[in-house]
Amino acid sequence: MENKIDYKKALNPAQMEAVMTTNGPVLVIAGAGSGKTRTLVYRVAYLVENGIPPESILLLTFTRKAATEMLNRAAEIYNEGCMSVSGGTFHSLANQILRNHTDLIGYYNGFTIIDRSDMEQIITSLIPELNFLKRPPRFPKRGTIANILSKAANLQEPTGQIIAKEYIQFTTYTNHIEKLGRLYTEYKRANGLMDYDDLIIYLRNLLSDNPEIRQMIGQQYRYVMVDEYQDTNTIQADIIKWLVDEHKNIMAVGDDCQSIYSFRGANYQNMFDFPEQFPGTKMIRLEENYRSTQPILSFTNAMMEPADKKYTKCLFTKKQGGIPPRIVEADTEPEQASFVYSYIKEKIQTGRRFSDIAILFRAGFHSFELETLLTQQGIPYVKHGGFKFLDSAHIKDLLSHLRVVVNREDTISWMRILTLIRGIGQAKANKIIAWMRSEGIMPHDITQWPGKSKKDLNLLRPVADLLYILTTKEISPRMAVKAAMNYYVPIMEEKFDDYPKRQKELDQLLAMAEYHDSLDSFIDTLILDPPASTLDIEPEQGKKDMLTLSTVHSAKGLEWPVVIIISAKNGKFPTPMALKNPFTLEEERRLMYVATTRAKEELLICYSRKDTRSWQTNMELYSNGPSVFIQSVPHDLAVHENTQGRRITSFTSSIKYNKPKNRPASHDHLYNSPRKDLPQQENSKDGDREAKDISTGERVMHPAFGIGVVARFVDNDKVEVLFKDAGKKLLHMKYTRLEPVH
């Protein structure tokens, strides 16, 4: 059969080998920028073109968006049949399979999927059952408990073992946390709930314990491909083993050098275990890079050379030219910010756009000084990392009204719905929920509660009317969201001052609901694959020419012509904890590799000699030198200099410095030079305002949030401040106190 697609023209020899090896186990070791996505896309097209039914092909990725984009591209190069390929995440696959076999996993009436914040809320509600006379002051917070329980589930290790290894400060409470874990499991089962970890654990168990189901699914999916295999955990690796037990037609694509999610339970050892799990594995290396120049690749290759365990590969490119990476030492963090700002300004003057440039950092707070300066100078930027759409109170509120229709046992959502109603507190809500569950009451019959007064009846009737509308069979997900909004928006406007912004996000739920035929499918998709950034809910933002600021974790998979890595020093990148733990240090090296390989044409790495955490404290300053990963690269593979352009021939050793008594005058312009073209704050005339006169760009102190910088004034009585630890906050001047910091 003659192929319609010219694979030889579209692919290099290694990619072509991966595309055309369709039977048996294949492990593709795909270096950064080596075209792994292209390889997967063409393999989908090749399989369909050669007569494989699209429905028998399964493409597993770590986001639904990634799978959709790959299948769209495959459809473009071959035909629409590629869109019938099953593409999605491990969790969406688990959801699909488990819903067809709920009786075998003990969820006879189906289940509702809960997210991380739901998990934390349940944990909080269960703590009283530990019977503390008084909650101990050092008992871990609910987020920490959720981390412990989730990690134990993902790693399939006892909770006590996780505490002993990673949370030694809480070993006193091991028995209490283990009991919480048992209570949490019982609660989920009783309320028909599953969290993210449950989905893949139940799927693994279903496949391993039921050969007939394994056989049926193996016959359904004859060709399986897994993207980002280095980010799978042990449970997901087991799922893959059972999925292809019938035929062994599995292709895993990944890069062990880009495994950076151990905190989620990812196990890059899966890459090395694959050939043992699947004897006869064909290994293919993709080493030709299509992203970066050779000087950048030479630098990144050398940085990974000392890695403790890796598949050896050497990235190269056929691109000609390129400039070596620059490594710039600043004296202090403000000087680092000032240099980066000047560098960006220089790039813009030479024809770059803001959107060509990304500033990457290990942790969100590392960009504080730079954000301060960018805000003062009016530089447009978008920051990635830490966006949690589903954690927003207004999104949770609205979705709760939909979730109880899908699962009327969902106690968390019922509590949220009822306590939104003015006049109904937690105690009364608990009584109503207990009555509904014991009597099997339908959601819209809530007004029949026997304990109601006339006042309660009036309070419950509007929500009962909404729930009646939502339970009609003809209602589409979009109509359901619209009806819920009509009910909820007036509550939201009373509850939140910034309701116009929240309204826009609710409007996005309407758009998302358009693509679903049923309410339960809409809710499942939203929980399993929520928007990952503000660009997902405000796509128009992506069309603006804006600088990108991002944590390295959030930058994975992306690329820019110019990449600037800041705070690349010991104690920040890698972290202090990593410097004490060889395993963690290796992951930090991989994280730095991910950061450096985002650069296409220019790579700038900056660090400050002195760690000036706060000018207002008595903390000492330290000179740590650049990151150990930078120091491991041969000196001649980069240009080393200070902010004045003087070449550095050797790295600074660790020296302890005494903190200066006052902030250096040379850095005052970074904090106290307000923009002339922005509105200045008028003097306070109301007598109620506690803060002294401040202006845009000024450094201020807040009693709760600490030090920040005034970003802008909103109306006559509000100010937006960028705080180092708390991020952006909109404050009412009438009810807050901001003191200028000099």
mmCIF file of all heavy atoms in Angstrom, residues 680-682 691-696 698-700 710 713 719 721 733 738-740:
data_model
loop_
_atom_site.group_PDB
_atom_site.id
_atom_site.type_symbol
_atom_site.label_atom_id
_atom_site.label_comp_id
_atom_site.label_asym_id
_atom_site.label_seq_id
_atom_site.Cartn_x
_atom_site.Cartn_y
_atom_site.Cartn_z
ATOM 1 N N GLN A 680 -1.249 59.472 40.620
ATOM 2 C CA GLN A 680 -0.730 59.442 41.977
ATOM 3 C C GLN A 680 -1.897 59.510 42.958
ATOM 4 O O GLN A 680 -2.951 60.062 42.660
ATOM 5 C CB GLN A 680 0.222 60.635 42.216
ATOM 6 C CG GLN A 680 1.366 60.679 41.215
ATOM 7 C CD GLN A 680 2.254 59.463 41.336
ATOM 8 O OE1 GLN A 680 2.727 59.150 42.417
ATOM 9 N NE2 GLN A 680 2.477 58.770 40.235
ATOM 10 N N GLN A 681 -1.676 58.967 44.129
ATOM 11 C CA GLN A 681 -2.737 58.960 45.130
ATOM 12 C C GLN A 681 -2.957 60.368 45.679
ATOM 13 O O GLN A 681 -2.017 61.097 45.956
ATOM 14 C CB GLN A 681 -2.347 58.032 46.288
ATOM 15 C CG GLN A 681 -3.388 58.003 47.377
ATOM 16 C CD GLN A 681 -2.847 57.315 48.602
ATOM 17 O OE1 GLN A 681 -1.682 57.007 48.666
ATOM 18 N NE2 GLN A 681 -3.698 57.103 49.567
ATOM 19 N N GLU A 682 -4.203 60.750 45.794
ATOM 20 C CA GLU A 682 -4.513 62.039 46.408
ATOM 21 C C GLU A 682 -4.344 61.934 47.912
ATOM 22 O O GLU A 682 -4.453 60.868 48.491
ATOM 23 C CB GLU A 682 -5.965 62.420 46.091
ATOM 24 C CG GLU A 682 -6.194 62.642 44.591
ATOM 25 C CD GLU A 682 -7.637 62.992 44.307
ATOM 26 O OE1 GLU A 682 -8.409 63.120 45.284
ATOM 27 O OE2 GLU A 682 -7.985 63.135 43.146
ATOM 28 N N ALA A 691 -3.474 54.781 56.486
ATOM 29 C CA ALA A 691 -2.190 54.841 55.814
ATOM 30 C C ALA A 691 -1.770 56.270 55.541
ATOM 31 O O ALA A 691 -2.583 57.150 55.315
ATOM 32 C CB ALA A 691 -2.272 54.076 54.498
ATOM 33 N N LYS A 692 -0.441 56.483 55.575
ATOM 34 C CA LYS A 692 0.094 57.790 55.214
ATOM 35 C C LYS A 692 0.074 57.905 53.705
ATOM 36 O O LYS A 692 -0.154 56.943 52.995
ATOM 37 C CB LYS A 692 1.517 57.913 55.753
ATOM 38 C CG LYS A 692 1.570 57.827 57.276
ATOM 39 C CD LYS A 692 3.007 57.837 57.756
ATOM 40 C CE LYS A 692 3.056 57.682 59.277
ATOM 41 N NZ LYS A 692 4.431 57.614 59.790
ATOM 42 N N ASP A 693 0.343 59.106 53.189
ATOM 43 C CA ASP A 693 0.329 59.311 51.745
ATOM 44 C C ASP A 693 1.357 58.397 51.087
ATOM 45 O O ASP A 693 2.515 58.361 51.476
ATOM 46 C CB ASP A 693 0.649 60.764 51.418
ATOM 47 C CG ASP A 693 -0.443 61.698 51.913
ATOM 48 O OD1 ASP A 693 -1.559 61.207 52.125
ATOM 49 O OD2 ASP A 693 -0.163 62.896 52.073
ATOM 50 N N ILE A 694 0.919 57.660 50.070
ATOM 51 C CA ILE A 694 1.815 56.781 49.333
ATOM 52 C C ILE A 694 1.560 56.992 47.853
ATOM 53 O O ILE A 694 0.534 57.546 47.462
ATOM 54 C CB ILE A 694 1.589 55.298 49.708
ATOM 55 C CG1 ILE A 694 0.116 54.921 49.512
ATOM 56 C CG2 ILE A 694 2.057 55.003 51.110
ATOM 57 C CD1 ILE A 694 -0.169 53.457 49.772
ATOM 58 N N SER A 695 2.488 56.530 47.029
ATOM 59 C CA SER A 695 2.342 56.718 45.592
ATOM 60 C C SER A 695 2.671 55.426 44.862
ATOM 61 O O SER A 695 3.250 54.491 45.428
ATOM 62 C CB SER A 695 3.253 57.843 45.100
ATOM 63 O OG SER A 695 4.590 57.581 45.482
ATOM 64 N N THR A 696 2.280 55.352 43.591
ATOM 65 C CA THR A 696 2.533 54.168 42.782
ATOM 66 C C THR A 696 4.025 53.862 42.746
ATOM 67 O O THR A 696 4.844 54.750 42.557
ATOM 68 C CB THR A 696 2.024 54.410 41.347
ATOM 69 O OG1 THR A 696 0.661 54.798 41.404
ATOM 70 C CG2 THR A 696 2.158 53.149 40.518
ATOM 71 N N GLU A 698 5.734 52.758 45.272
ATOM 72 C CA GLU A 698 6.385 52.906 46.575
ATOM 73 C C GLU A 698 6.362 51.596 47.346
ATOM 74 O O GLU A 698 5.420 50.812 47.266
ATOM 75 C CB GLU A 698 5.690 53.998 47.382
ATOM 76 C CG GLU A 698 6.445 54.354 48.656
ATOM 77 C CD GLU A 698 6.017 55.695 49.234
ATOM 78 O OE1 GLU A 698 5.127 56.333 48.661
ATOM 79 O OE2 GLU A 698 6.578 56.075 50.265
ATOM 80 N N ARG A 699 7.407 51.372 48.113
ATOM 81 C CA ARG A 699 7.547 50.190 48.952
ATOM 82 C C ARG A 699 6.820 50.454 50.266
ATOM 83 O O ARG A 699 7.049 51.487 50.909
ATOM 84 C CB ARG A 699 9.038 49.931 49.199
ATOM 85 C CG ARG A 699 9.415 48.534 49.652
ATOM 86 C CD ARG A 699 10.946 48.438 49.613
ATOM 87 N NE ARG A 699 11.474 47.253 50.216
ATOM 88 C CZ ARG A 699 11.706 46.114 49.586
ATOM 89 N NH1 ARG A 699 11.429 46.020 48.312
ATOM 90 N NH2 ARG A 699 12.219 45.076 50.215
ATOM 91 N N VAL A 700 5.944 49.506 50.676
ATOM 92 C CA VAL A 700 5.116 49.717 51.860
ATOM 93 C C VAL A 700 5.111 48.469 52.747
ATOM 94 O O VAL A 700 5.441 47.371 52.299
ATOM 95 C CB VAL A 700 3.661 50.062 51.464
ATOM 96 C CG1 VAL A 700 3.586 51.420 50.780
ATOM 97 C CG2 VAL A 700 3.061 48.977 50.567
ATOM 98 N N VAL A 710 3.358 49.248 45.890
ATOM 99 C CA VAL A 710 2.091 49.750 45.369
ATOM 100 C C VAL A 710 2.091 49.620 43.847
ATOM 101 O O VAL A 710 2.947 50.192 43.158
ATOM 102 C CB VAL A 710 1.878 51.226 45.766
ATOM 103 C CG1 VAL A 710 0.590 51.757 45.148
ATOM 104 C CG2 VAL A 710 1.838 51.358 47.284
ATOM 105 N N PHE A 713 -3.708 52.343 41.837
ATOM 106 C CA PHE A 713 -4.857 52.740 42.630
ATOM 107 C C PHE A 713 -6.123 52.443 41.845
ATOM 108 O O PHE A 713 -6.182 52.628 40.631
ATOM 109 C CB PHE A 713 -4.775 54.230 42.974
ATOM 110 C CG PHE A 713 -3.667 54.530 43.935
ATOM 111 C CD1 PHE A 713 -2.407 54.874 43.472
ATOM 112 C CD2 PHE A 713 -3.861 54.409 45.299
ATOM 113 C CE1 PHE A 713 -1.367 55.106 44.346
ATOM 114 C CE2 PHE A 713 -2.830 54.639 46.187
ATOM 115 C CZ PHE A 713 -1.571 54.991 45.715
ATOM 116 N N VAL A 719 -6.453 50.150 46.665
ATOM 117 C CA VAL A 719 -5.096 50.123 46.139
ATOM 118 C C VAL A 719 -4.682 48.671 45.931
ATOM 119 O O VAL A 719 -5.013 47.799 46.727
ATOM 120 C CB VAL A 719 -4.112 50.843 47.096
ATOM 121 C CG1 VAL A 719 -4.056 50.158 48.452
ATOM 122 C CG2 VAL A 719 -2.708 50.900 46.493
ATOM 123 N N VAL A 721 -1.650 46.105 45.771
ATOM 124 C CA VAL A 721 -0.273 46.023 46.242
ATOM 125 C C VAL A 721 0.282 44.642 45.927
ATOM 126 O O VAL A 721 -0.400 43.628 46.106
ATOM 127 C CB VAL A 721 -0.182 46.285 47.764
ATOM 128 C CG1 VAL A 721 1.268 46.239 48.235
ATOM 129 C CG2 VAL A 721 -0.790 47.639 48.105
ATOM 130 N N MET A 733 -8.425 51.217 51.290
ATOM 131 C CA MET A 733 -7.604 52.145 52.071
ATOM 132 C C MET A 733 -8.281 52.550 53.370
ATOM 133 O O MET A 733 -7.620 52.865 54.364
ATOM 134 C CB MET A 733 -7.296 53.397 51.233
ATOM 135 C CG MET A 733 -6.391 53.126 50.034
ATOM 136 S SD MET A 733 -4.739 52.581 50.531
ATOM 137 C CE MET A 733 -4.110 54.093 51.244
ATOM 138 N N LEU A 738 -1.150 50.938 55.644
ATOM 139 C CA LEU A 738 0.074 50.761 54.877
ATOM 140 C C LEU A 738 1.069 51.822 55.306
ATOM 141 O O LEU A 738 0.764 53.022 55.246
ATOM 142 C CB LEU A 738 -0.203 50.884 53.371
ATOM 143 C CG LEU A 738 -1.079 49.799 52.740
ATOM 144 C CD1 LEU A 738 -1.358 50.136 51.290
ATOM 145 C CD2 LEU A 738 -0.407 48.439 52.841
ATOM 146 N N GLU A 739 2.231 51.367 55.740
ATOM 147 C CA GLU A 739 3.266 52.305 56.165
ATOM 148 C C GLU A 739 4.363 52.340 55.111
ATOM 149 O O GLU A 739 4.860 51.297 54.692
ATOM 150 C CB GLU A 739 3.874 51.852 57.506
ATOM 151 C CG GLU A 739 2.897 51.873 58.675
ATOM 152 C CD GLU A 739 2.535 53.282 59.113
ATOM 153 O OE1 GLU A 739 3.247 54.223 58.707
ATOM 154 O OE2 GLU A 739 1.551 53.438 59.860
ATOM 155 N N PRO A 740 4.756 53.535 54.655
ATOM 156 C CA PRO A 740 5.882 53.621 53.699
ATOM 157 C C PRO A 740 7.145 53.049 54.334
ATOM 158 O O PRO A 740 7.389 53.218 55.522
ATOM 159 C CB PRO A 740 6.026 55.127 53.451
ATOM 160 C CG PRO A 740 4.710 55.717 53.856
ATOM 161 C CD PRO A 740 4.184 54.864 54.955
#
